[in-house]
Each structure stands twice: as structure tokens, then as C-alpha cells.
Amino acid sequence: MATAARALGGYGSVSAAAKERVAQAAKTLGYRPNVVARSMITGRTNAIGVVLADIENAFFSSAVRGIADAARAAGQHVILANTDEDIEKEHAAIRVFVERRVDGLIVCPTDGTDRTYLRGIIEQGTPVVLLDRRIRGLRADSVGIDNHRAAYEATRYLLAAGHERIGVVTGTASDVEAALHRPGLVGVENLVGMTGGERTAGYRDALLQAGIEPRVDYVVSGGGYRREDAVAATKELMALEEPPTAILPLDSILSLGVLQAVRELGLRCPRDVSVVGFDDAEWTETVTPPLTVVAQPVQEIGARALQRLLSRIDGSRQRPVHETLETTLVERESVGPPLSEG
Amino acid sequence: MATAARALGGYGSVSAAAKERVAQAAKTLGYRPNVVARSMITGRTNAIGVVLADIENAFFSSAVRGIADAARAAGQHVILANTDEDIEKEHAAIRVFVERRVDGLIVCPTDGTDRTYLRGIIEQGTPVVLLDRRIRGLRADSVGIDNHRAAYEATRYLLAAGHERIGVVTGTASDVEAALHRPGLVGVENLVGMTGGERTAGYRDALLQAGIEPRVDYVVSGGGYRREDAVAATKELMALEEPPTAILPLDSILSLGVLQAVRELGLRCPRDVSVVGFDDAEWTETVTPPLTVVAQPVQEIGARALQRLLSRIDGSRQRPVHETLETTLVERESVGPPLSEG
DNA sequence: CTGTTAGCGCATTCAT
DNA sequence: ATGAATGCGCTAACAG
């Protein structure tokens, strides 16, 4: 009888009495609904796919934590895929997820992602929310921070401390690196889906507003987002004829690299170089000196992304919204006055 | 015709010619197999559930990375659940996973897990592999390190440096804390599923072997696995009449707390206190001083756990094996000679 | 409100 | 080697 099914499935209308009896019977029989069969009918799997660069990276693991908590509250499951910033892996992961019939996707696209692939997925009916990165011209919500503004404020903070020669250590993929090196840093913000681009633009504009001409050789990238890359980049920076007196690494791993390079060069922070990092990792107040950072509400970014995805899954058809959460500049001890010429 | 199904599903026998034609037709029609329907028939979902305390913790995110890589190679998907060391959440997560018909489970049980719950799951037919922690009397494989030996060696290293008063900062849940405080630390290793217990036993035995009587007041727990707990625990330790000259924090977050406390107390490491931590987190060589640690091959632990799970899923019925991977003592600069009495 | 019927898309019999 | 028929466990649509 279908009444039993209705009672157990929680749909249609069932009398309270019947519902009670069915629940009782189900318990004694040890009945467990078959979720797979249900999914086949309803077309919903209650699973959402999360596609990111690397779960080992603290930024992503915090984001996933936020997503997972919100998902659990909504009865959704989180499936994970790492891309290592590799576009092939990203596409493969997404393809497999839609084949698996996930209800929706949260993706943090790799630098320079082509927007057409994701466009196809969306048009085909799988809702997508972008996390951290944002792709212009794509009908997808996104949740992140105002990267331009965050970098702008960090730079102004350094400027206010008296620094005029400020270096940036970024982790741009090599194929867009060239674009990063145009005179005056013109157009960096247009690099597709690049937080690094937007942040560099914020840095540039703060400089410009202070009447300082941005120097191309002050923006360096080690090629990847690994610490060794940042170490090399920092050494390159400090080997310049006029080395910067302050450095702005664009994520937490890069900050670690900058700090390491500073130490390896026999320099001291903040006496010889000041540093303002991105992301308030667990170790930021334990390193020497405690690191001043731009903190993002990472868990909340994840939670909001899931929220947005849910409303899309529930059929929301409003035009894409780009949600931007507030960052905080956490002042610690890695910024001091610039070293006077010596 | 069933031939098409056979060709696409890759089972039964099909002539090469037919296979070719079917593949062609499938491509032009844009056919995508319905994984959900397939799962209903085969009973396999190609998904494995991973249950751990907190994905934000570097140990777990590395383990998940290892699991995910191995899973991808095997065509399996990884579903995540965080328990926050809460037994209720752990049970709930596991229940939902088996209801979802995952092919298997990798679980890192919370301290003091009752073994009966998992036993039920296993007997009911879902393979389980334990990660990091291990539960005696449970018919499940486990993958981790030799906790006793790792702590034993770390302690001997400290002993060799001349330390005789060595403190331990652990993160035991409060309900088993009492057991940690028996005179002579007798029986700590029997605490169910506790890496902390085994490690404390290793510490105790190294002391004993050196002819030093273990002191109960040198083993402290802040109650949880948070940094603040370790800060408090360390301060408690250093406030003793005869404070230890070296400290052994039992995981990376706790190490951070110990380092922070040392600094807040105005002490210097290793001049005033030496420290040997567990787990080679990304920041260990960037803090001051670079931290000497017992490193575990965490990604590999995850990968091996998945491997073991797969062979169980494929029907292996051999008796449970407990796999133990090698640890490495990474010497850096946080250990020096003990501070002479003064 | 409840019972009956049909069918989701596939894998697996059984024939041929 | 192939085609036809059956059923996995459930929900949806319809009748009563």
C-alpha cells in the first residue's frame, strides 16, 4: 500500500493515525529507505560537488568546513575534488560530478579558466556557485571578498607606516604572468577569475592615489602557489638595486615563503622589511613576529556559497548576484617604519 | 536492444563491430549513462564516506588529500563529514552514510568511541577502515603510525639532549582525563582509540627505561585539541615548583599553543624550554625557532587507508590488519640543553 | 485520505 | 553473440 510509502517518504497526505502505525511497523521491521531508488525517481541526490585547488590549503579547508556545516543543516552531502589549479582536472571533476547527478556545484575555478565550459554545465541545468574567484560573463552567483579593496587597504596601511617601495608576491599561473608585467600594471584586473589580478590592481591604485608610480619589477610571481616559489620571488625582490621596504604576499602560503626568505637573507621583520599577509592562518600569531594580515571570513564564504547554491537548486531564477563579505585588517607586529637608507 | 546496454556498460559479451557502432551512436546522441539507476541495480555507489573530527585541522586535510587522490585513481568519490570529536555527530554521520549506501567508510573515531556501534555497521556489511586511531576488538583494518614508538623516540631524543623533566601536553577529552592521572601513568595505553594514550605510554616507557619516575603532574590536558587549551596547559606546567625543561605537545595545534605560551611567559625556546612537536605542519620551519617534530606520512596514511578499504569492498575476508607507517624525527632548532638550575 | 498502477534506467536472467 | 522479458525500490498520477 502506498500509504506506507507516503508516510515514510514524507510526501502526499497521510492521516496521523496511519503515519503512527507505519512508523511503528517500520521500526520493528528495521526498514531503511533506499535513497538510491528515491534519487532515481526524484532526480535529486542531495549531494553537492565541491571543486577546489587543494584541500590541504588552509583557505580551502576552511571554506569546505563552512560549506559542510551549512550542508549538513540542509541535509546535503559534500563531495570533494582537488584540481591542483589544473584546468584538465577541473573539467574532469566537474564532468564526473554532473554525471553523478549532483544537485549543484561549488567551484573555485583555476586561474584563467575558460568560461565556456562552465557555461555549458549551467545551461544544461546544474546550478553553479563560484567561490573566492569570479568569472565575468558567466551566469553564476559568486561569493568572496572585494579583492581590490582588500589589497587597496593593506597597501594604504603600509603607505601610512611610511613605506613607498612596496613589493607584491603573487602566485599567478605562468601563462598569465606576462599580463602582470605591463608598464604601470595596466589591466591586471581583467585577468579572468584571478584574485591575484584584482588584488594587484588594488595595490596599484593605492600607490597611484598616493602619487607613487607602480613599478613592474616590484610585482613578482614564483609561478605557483607554493612556498618555495614565494621564497625565490622574495629573494628576487630583495636583490633589486632598490629593494622594497615592505612586502605584500597575496595568500597565506606565500606569506610563509616571504617570512622564510627574509630569515634566510639574514634580515629581520619588521626592522628590515615589513610584511602584510592575506588570510589569517592558525600560525599567524605564533610566528616571529606575529603577522599583520588581511583576514577573510573564509568559513562564512563557504556557508554563504552553499546557501546561494541551495536557493538555485530550489529553482531561483533571479539574475546572478556577486556576494562580497567584509575583510578585516588584523594588526600585529610585522609592520614597522621603513628602514632608512643605509 | 540489450547489446547497446552491454556495450555501454562494459559487461557481458559484445562483438567488436557492435561495440563500435554503439559507441558511435551514443556519441552522436549525446548519451550519458545514468549512474543513479546503475547504482540501484549493482548496489554500488562508488562513493566512500570519510568521517573525521575537523577538516580544518591540517592532519585531517592532508589525510583527506591522500584519500582523495587514491580515490580518484580508483573511480571513487569522497564524501565528507566533520564530527568535532562529538560521538553523537559521529554516529549520525555514519548512519547517514550507510543509508546513502556508500561502498565503504574511513573513520577516525573520536576519543573513547564505543566499539559496538561500528561493530554493528561492519556486521551489517559496510566495510570500515580506521584512520589514525585504532580500536581494539573491532574487526576493521586500521592505518596509522606506531604511536607508542613515535613518542618513545621523541622522548629519548629529549633525554639524550640532557632533559630529565619533560612535560606532555595532550588533548584528551575530559571524560578519560582521569585515567591519564593514575600514579606512574599506569594503563594509559588502554584508553580506547586514543592516540594520546599510546603516545603518553611511549613517553612513560622512555622515562622508565632511563630510570626516571614519570610524574603525573607533568602530563596535562587542556581538555580539547584547541590552541587555547594548550596555552593554558603549558602555563600550568611552567607554574609548577619544578617546571619541566622540555615539552612534548602531542599534535600540531597543541604545538602552536605551547609555543605561544612560552612566548607569553617571556621565555625563549630552546634556551628556557625545549619543544618537540608532532606532525610536520607547513609552518614548522618558519616559526622561531624552527620546530623539531615527529613527522607522520599523513597523505600516505590516507592513501593506504583507501587502498585497504577498496580491497575490503572487493570482498577480501582476511582477518583485520593494522598497518603502521614510519615516522621521522625532523631535527630543527627547538631543542637545546636544559636550562641549568638558577 | 487511501489503494492501485505504471514506470524511472539500468543489469540480469532466459531464450534464441 | 544478441534480443526479449523481468525486476531493483521507489514516487507520481490516478482512481476510488
Side-chain angles (χ1 to χ4, degrees), chain A residues 263 286-288, chain B residues 259 262-263 267-271 273-275 283-293 332-336:
Chain A
R263 164 196 306 232
T286 315
V287 291
T288 314
Chain B
L259 254 23
V262 166
R263 164 197 306 234
L267 303 174
R268 294 190 68 112
C269 171
R271 199 195 57 196
V273 234
S274 291
V275 178
W283 47 262
T284 45
E285 43 184 325
T286 315
V287 290
T288 313
L291 192 67
T292 293
V293 296
R332 288 200 266 254
E333 303 164 27
S334 60
V335 174

Side-chain angles (χ1 to χ4, degrees), chain A residues 239-302:
Chain A
L240 289 175
E241 213 165 303
E242 279 192 323
T245 60
I247 300 181
L248 194 62
L250 299 188
D251 85 6
S252 75
I253 301 282
L254 299 175
S255 298
L256 235 23
V258 169
L259 255 23
Q260 180 180 335
V262 167
R263 164 196 306 232
E264 286 178 9
L265 289 170
L267 302 174
R268 295 190 67 113
C269 171
R271 198 194 59 194
D272 305 307
V273 234
S274 292
V275 178
V276 174
F278 263 83
D279 295 348
D280 200 11
E282 58 182 14
W283 46 263
T284 46
E285 44 184 324
T286 315
V287 291
T288 314
L291 192 67
T292 295
V293 296
V294 175
Q296 318 187 38
V298 191
Q299 279 209 26
E300 203 183 332
I301 289 175

Side-chain angles (χ1 to χ4, degrees), chain B residues 47-314:
Chain B
I48 71 118
V50 176
V51 180
L52 39 74
D54 179 11
I55 187 67
E56 275 199 87
N57 182 310
F59 176 84
F60 294 118
S61 65
S62 286
V64 167
R65 184 62 214 250
I67 294 171
D69 286 351
R72 197 162 66 93
Q76 288 279 354
H77 276 173
V78 171
I79 314 184
L80 218 62
N82 301 102
T83 67
D84 294 313
E85 304 278 356
D86 174 343
I87 189 79
E88 306 274 334
K89 286 191 192 173
E90 180 178 319
H91 287 183
I94 294 176
R95 185 170 358 100
V96 178
F97 279 160
V98 324
E99 231 160 51
R100 237 185 186 304
R101 305 290 203 272
V102 293
D103 290 346
L105 250 21
I106 293 181
V107 5
C108 178
T110 73
D111 286 353
T113 291
D114 69 310
R115 48 199 93 182
T116 53
Y117 187 78
L118 273 176
R119 198 199 305 276
I121 300 299
I122 295 169
E123 283 170 359
Q124 184 191 323
T126 307
V128 173
V129 169
L130 265 25
L131 188 142
D132 185 41
R133 277 102 120 149
R134 162 176 170 183
I135 300 181
R136 287 164 211 274
L138 191 69
R139 284 195 60 83
D141 296 336
S142 72
V143 181
I145 61 166
D146 183 336
N147 287 294
H148 183 285
R149 184 168 154 203
Y152 177 86
E153 285 174 359
T155 307
R156 284 186 55 97
Y157 179 78
L158 252 10
L159 252 12
H163 296 274
E164 303 203 330
R165 304 206 307 270
I166 303 172
V168 169
V169 172
T170 177
T172 317
S174 53
D175 54 323
V176 284
E177 206 170 328
L180 217 50
H181 288 159
R182 274 201 291 259
L185 299 177
V186 176
V188 273
E189 60 271 52
N190 293 328
L191 301 176
V192 177
M194 267 199 59
T195 58
E198 294 171 15
R199 291 181 189 172
T200 305
Y203 152 84
R204 176 200 62 198
D205 293 346
L207 251 37
L208 249 23
Q209 195 194 319
I212 298 172
E213 186 62 24
R215 292 173 51 159
V216 164
D217 55 352
Y218 276 2
V219 178
V220 292
S221 153
Y225 284 96
R226 296 163 312 173
R227 186 176 50 210
E228 310 85 77
D229 300 327
V231 171
T234 305
K235 289 184 175 173
E236 193 180 313
L237 229 33
M238 300 311 289
L240 290 175
E241 213 165 302
E242 278 192 325
T245 60
I247 300 182
L248 194 63
L250 298 188
D251 86 6
S252 75
I253 301 283
L254 299 175
S255 299
L256 235 23
V258 169
L259 254 23
Q260 180 180 336
V262 166
R263 164 197 306 234
E264 287 178 8
L265 289 170
L267 303 174
R268 294 190 68 112
C269 171
R271 199 195 57 196
D272 305 307
V273 234
S274 291
V275 178
V276 174
F278 262 83
D279 296 347
D280 200 12
E282 58 181 15
W283 47 262
T284 45
E285 43 184 325
T286 315
V287 290
T288 313
L291 192 67
T292 293
V293 296
V294 176
Q296 317 187 39
V298 191
Q299 280 207 26
E300 203 182 333
I301 290 175
R304 295 296 308 149
L306 187 84
Q307 229 67 273
R308 294 230 100 89
L309 186 58
L310 287 180
S311 62
R312 291 300 177 182
I313 290 172
D314 289 345

Side-chain angles (χ1 to χ4, degrees), chain A:
Chain A
M1 62 196 188
T3 307
R6 281 191 262 261
L8 295 163
Y11 57 96
S13 2
V14 199
S15 73
K19 198 179 293 184
E20 177 59 30
R21 276 185 303 128
V22 171
Q24 208 59 41
K27 177 175 283 181
T28 60
L29 293 176
Y31 169 83
R32 299 255 149 254
N34 184 325
V35 211
V36 180
R38 178 177 296 171
S39 286
M40 185 167 66
I41 296 297
T42 61
R44 292 194 44 168
T45 53
N46 295 315
I48 71 119
V50 176
V51 180
L52 39 74
D54 180 11
I55 187 67
E56 274 199 87
N57 181 310
F59 176 84
F60 293 119
S61 64
S62 286
V64 166
R65 184 65 215 248
I67 293 172
D69 287 351
R72 198 162 64 93
Q76 289 278 353
H77 277 173
V78 171
I79 313 184
L80 218 60
N82 301 102
T83 69
D84 294 313
E85 305 278 357
D86 174 341
I87 189 77
E88 305 276 333
K89 287 192 191 172
E90 179 178 320
H91 287 184
I94 293 177
R95 184 171 0 99
V96 178
F97 280 160
V98 326
E99 231 159 52
R100 236 183 187 301
R101 305 290 205 271
V102 294
D103 290 347
L105 250 22
I106 293 181
V107 6
C108 179
T110 73
D111 287 353
T113 291
D114 68 311
R115 48 199 93 181
T116 52
Y117 186 78
L118 274 176
R119 199 200 306 275
I121 299 299
I122 295 169
E123 283 170 358
Q124 184 191 323
T126 306
V128 173
V129 169
L130 264 25
L131 187 142
D132 184 42
R133 279 102 119 151
R134 163 176 169 183
I135 299 181
R136 288 164 211 274
L138 191 69
R139 286 194 60 82
D141 296 337
S142 72
V143 181
I145 61 165
D146 184 336
N147 287 294
H148 184 285
R149 184 167 154 204
Y152 177 86
E153 285 173 0
T155 307
R156 283 187 56 97
Y157 178 78
L158 251 10
L159 253 10
H163 296 274
E164 303 202 332
R165 303 206 305 271
I166 304 172
V168 169
V169 172
T170 176
T172 316
S174 54
D175 54 324
V176 285
E177 205 170 328
L180 218 49
H181 289 158
R182 274 202 289 262
L185 298 177
V186 176
V188 273
E189 61 271 53
N190 293 327
L191 300 177
V192 176
M194 268 199 57
T195 57
E198 294 171 16
R199 291 180 190 173
T200 305
Y203 153 84
R204 177 200 61 199
D205 293 345
L207 253 35
L208 251 21
Q209 196 196 317
I212 298 172
E213 187 63 23
R215 292 173 51 158
V216 164
D217 56 351
Y218 276 1
V219 178
V220 293
S221 154
Y225 284 95
R226 295 162 313 173
R227 187 177 49 207
E228 311 84 78
D229 300 327
V231 171
T234 305
K235 289 183 173 172
E236 194 178 312
L237 229 32
M238 300 310 289
L240 289 175
E241 213 165 303
E242 279 192 323
T245 60
I247 300 181
L248 194 62
L250 299 188
D251 85 6
S252 75
I253 301 282
L254 299 175
S255 298
L256 235 23
V258 169
L259 255 23
Q260 180 180 335
V262 167
R263 164 196 306 232
E264 286 178 9
L265 289 170
L267 302 174
R268 295 190 67 113
C269 171
R271 198 194 59 194
D272 305 307
V273 234
S274 292
V275 178
V276 174
F278 263 83
D279 295 348
D280 200 11
E282 58 182 14
W283 46 263
T284 46
E285 44 184 324
T286 315
V287 291
T288 314
L291 192 67
T292 295
V293 296
V294 175
Q296 318 187 38
V298 191
Q299 279 209 26
E300 203 183 332
I301 289 175
R304 295 295 308 147
L306 187 85
Q307 230 66 275
R308 294 232 99 91
L309 186 58
L310 286 179
S311 62
R312 291 299 176 182
I313 290 171
D314 289 345
S316 161
R317 293 258 162 268
Q318 65 178 352
R319 51 188 296 267
V321 348
H322 301 286
E323 187 171 350
T324 255
L325 303 190
E326 292 300 310
T327 56
T328 327
L329 186 75
V330 183
E331 299 188 46
R332 289 199 264 254
E333 302 163 30
S334 60
V335 174
L339 187 61
S340 46
E341 307 286 338

